[in-house]
Amino acid sequence: MEFNLIATATFGLEAIVKREVEELGYPITETFNGGVLFKGGGEAIKKCNLYLRSADRVLICVNKFKAYSFEELFDNTYSIPWEDFIPNKATFPVVGKSIKSLLHSVPNCQKMVKKAIATRLGEYYKTNWIEETGPLYKIEVTLLKDEVILTIDTTGPGLHKRGYRNLTGYAPLKETLAAALVDLSYYSQDRFLYDPFCGTGTILIEAAMKVLNIPPGLNRSFVCETWENLGTGDFAKIREEGRDSILNEELNIFGSDVDGSQLSLARAHIENAGLEGKIHVQKLDVKEFKSSKKYGIIIANPPYGERMGSAESVQPLYKYMGGFYEEHPTWSCYFLTAYKDFEKVFGQKASRRRKLYNGKIECTYYQYLGPKPPMRKDVDNEGK
């Protein structure tokens, strides 16, 4: 069975998620704020959950329609062949949201959708009571300007839950956003990668996973694995293919932080991700960092002056990094920050900028592009 599928994305990451879905072999039919729409069957659902790095989750888009009254909402929902999606005795909670719609009461919308689905399934399975004791099929009703979108979540806990980060420090960066920062930098192992504010190591780990072709969802489960109507046995085969695709190469990835407790978490996360020996972290102030590498790249989520001190406290830090970049013209630097005057303090205009959100904080990703490194064999001969 082929479905209309949605890979949801944090604002600003839609183009990255689109590229990732296309690389898996599924053409995009529509890109919209918050995600991309494409077609695929059970295998597409499994592969996208397993391999997408920057998407938040994978949804089945059951239907779209206009509704200006609760009667229209009920009738249109009831007309959908829910028995094609939801088996007998399945658990199907309904959540929702409403934006700029006549039907603005979310609890009432949820109740109406639940009632319509239960009525339809009860008639199909010939029962007066839906016994919700089986697998979970979480349904969301979204109303935007009176258009209703009904979806079923195939992911469960969001795709940022890779499984390696069971411990978190302050101001954690989501794994999906970290993966996007790496993707936007076009980082490859031809360069030395450094994160001077590595915290619990998320950017470093996501960079290593990308280069080594480690599927981000390899060590976690998804709610759709419990769905018998999706062919659960194939997941083992797809996971095995994912393990077989992993590369075993030396990496030159280094991170530092001034907070030793954060580095302890980073080391634990690196071990959980199976990347011991691939990533190196050290307690170090960024001003003490030195490297003879000619071609390097910095990807960092430095302090913003919001969660960790005043805005004035980060200015010397940003100014120092600007000086480092000026002294290393063959390096590329990428900084995610909410500090509005970053370029002024850094001392240079960015080559590119992209608005992104770190949680609810509006940030800008400042991208300073250095020259491409020469062929790999020449890079290998650089000074260490």
Side-chain angles (χ1 to χ4, degrees), residues 108-125:
N108 287 337
C109 291
Q110 292 172 179
K111 290 176 184 177
M112 196 58 64
V113 168
K114 178 78 173 185
K115 182 179 178 182
I117 297 172
T119 301
R120 172 90 186 203
L121 293 179
E123 292 175 359
Y124 183 83
Y125 293 119

Side-chain angles (χ1 to χ4, degrees), residues 343-379:
E343 289 173 305
K344 181 180 179 181
V345 178
F346 189 81
Q348 295 188 48
K349 290 286 186 182
S351 308
R352 297 175 186 168
R353 301 170 205 82
R354 181 184 287 257
K355 185 166 78 171
L356 298 173
Y357 281 85
N358 184 4
K360 294 182 179 180
I361 301 175
E362 181 180 325
C363 300
T364 300
Y365 194 36
Y366 296 97
Q367 303 164 63
Y368 294 87
L369 310 182
K372 291 182 179 181
M375 298 298 292
R376 180 68 184 273
K377 62 181 181 180
D378 295 326
V379 176

Side-chain angles (χ1 to χ4, degrees), residues 192-197 252-258 280 282-293 295-298 320-321 324-325 327-328 331 333 384:
F192 170 77
L193 172 61
Y194 175 47
D195 180 357
F197 315 98
N252 209 345
I253 297 179
F254 176 65
S256 66
D257 204 287
V258 295
H280 305 278
Q282 179 182 350
K283 185 175 181 181
L284 187 72
D285 189 296
V286 62
K287 296 177 181 179
E288 299 173 6
F289 172 73
K290 299 187 185 318
S291 176
S292 60
K293 288 286 187 183
Y295 295 95
I297 180 169
I298 290 176
Y320 175 81
M321 290 189 294
F324 179 90
Y325 179 63
E327 293 172 3
H328 297 76
W331 282 48
C333 294
K384 304 296 183 183

